[in-house]
Amino acid sequence: KAGVTQTPRYLIKTRGQQVTLSCSPISGHRSVSWYQQTPGQGLQFLFEYFSETQRNKGNFPGRFSGRQFSNSRSEMNVSTLELGDSALYLCASSSTGLAGETQYFGPGTRLLVL
Amino acid sequence: AQRVTQPEKLLSVFKGAPVELKCNYSYSGSPELFWYVQYSRQRLQLLLRHISRESIKGFTADLNKGETSFHLKKPFAQEEDSAMYYCALETSGSRLTFGEGTQLTVNP
């Protein structure tokens, strides 16, 4: 099975712009989670989608949003970018997202905000 | 609130020596704990989880609820074990709370 894929892999934006990142889960997986990784804060949970519905949400401002399509692919959007949004954004997929399931991570999208 | 602490950011051992990566957690519910590993230029991947009580690549981890710890151990470290290790606590569903990670270096 192909692993989790994320596009684009690298992105440079300026403050105030918005950005959309994409994640394709492993075939058959219906749960997609997003994480932000920064040197200062480490890995932080953004949100999780299952069957096109947001099922779980972390402590991020409303500028961070996401959605999931019927084929389980997911996108996350960050509006009005700030310098502090520079990070590696990881997505992870699992079959159902139930407790104890293995999550499979993608390679990440590295976002630089100038 | 849930919290995961990995007190060592860097850990260096010699090949063949025992290694222990520490992880402590704070959580009011019943914890589901994992160790994830990231080798150089590879993606984050699951190493082991406490519910399966398995040994992967010679690593084991025991959940100690009294000490709220989930330390990762290996009796004889290998150079290929050099990587970044993250302890993670699962709370609701697939939400993982990660520790800050420990960079393990195994010297020849």
Side-chain angles (χ1 to χ4, degrees):
Chain A
K1 276 186 180 179
V4 177
T5 58
Q6 292 185 245
T7 57
R9 293 295 310 279
Y10 303 92
L11 208 47
I12 300 176
K13 292 286 186 179
T14 56
R15 278 182 301 173
Q17 286 186 311
Q18 74 164 18
V19 67
T20 299
L21 312 181
S22 181
C23 172
S24 292
I26 290 173
S27 178
H29 284 189
R30 295 166 63 193
S31 170
V32 174
S33 298
W34 288 89
Y35 293 84
Q36 182 195 63
Q37 186 175 27
T38 60
Q41 300 296 320
L43 279 153
Q44 293 187 288
F45 175 81
L46 280 154
F47 30 65
E48 183 229 355
Y49 285 86
F50 178 80
S51 290
E52 302 178 64
T53 301
Q54 187 180 87
R55 190 163 63 175
N56 223 328
K57 189 177 187 304
N59 300 320
F60 278 81
R63 299 186 297 108
F64 292 82
S65 62
R67 59 177 175 168
Q68 187 179 35
F69 302 95
S70 58
N71 61 358
S72 294
R73 189 177 70 85
S74 177
E75 289 181 347
M76 67 163 281
N77 184 275
V78 188
S79 62
T80 319
L81 284 166
E82 300 177 0
L83 295 179
D85 297 332
S86 294
L88 181 67
Y89 290 88
L90 297 174
C91 82
S93 77
S94 64
S95 181
T96 64
L98 294 177
E101 269 194 350
T102 298
Q103 292 195 46
Y104 296 86
F105 283 82
T109 293
R110 187 165 295 280
L111 172 65
L112 177 61
V113 182
L114 302 176
Chain B
Q2 63 273 11
R3 185 181 178 90
V4 176
T5 304
Q6 293 179 247
E8 303 137 330
K9 286 193 173 181
L10 302 171
L11 185 61
S12 182
V13 300
F14 285 102
K15 178 183 172 181
V19 62
E20 181 179 49
L21 291 85
K22 291 183 167 52
C23 171
N24 288 90
Y25 67 92
S26 172
Y27 183 53
S28 57
S30 183
E32 297 276 358
L33 286 150
F34 302 79
W35 277 98
Y36 279 82
V37 61
Q38 188 165 29
Y39 300 101
S40 179
R41 291 184 294 278
Q42 293 188 28
R43 60 185 67 187
L44 196 61
Q45 58 185 289
L46 178 69
L47 180 62
L48 58 78
R49 49 187 168 175
H50 94 272
I51 56 174
S52 56
R53 300 187 64 80
E54 55 196 344
S55 172
I56 303 294
K57 298 185 179 183
F59 284 98
T60 59
D62 288 320
L63 175 61
N64 186 323
K65 290 187 178 181
E67 296 183 359
T68 59
S69 68
F70 188 56
H71 303 329
L72 183 68
K73 300 177 184 179
K74 185 169 183 177
F76 307 103
Q78 303 299 314
E79 289 180 67
E80 55 266 29
D81 296 329
S82 295
M84 189 72 164
Y85 291 81
Y86 294 95
C87 181
L89 168 69
E90 183 182 77
T91 52
S92 55
S94 58
R95 177 175 183 160
L96 294 173
T97 298
F98 286 89
E100 292 187 3
T102 297
Q103 179 67 51
L104 173 66
T105 300
V106 180
N107 300 296

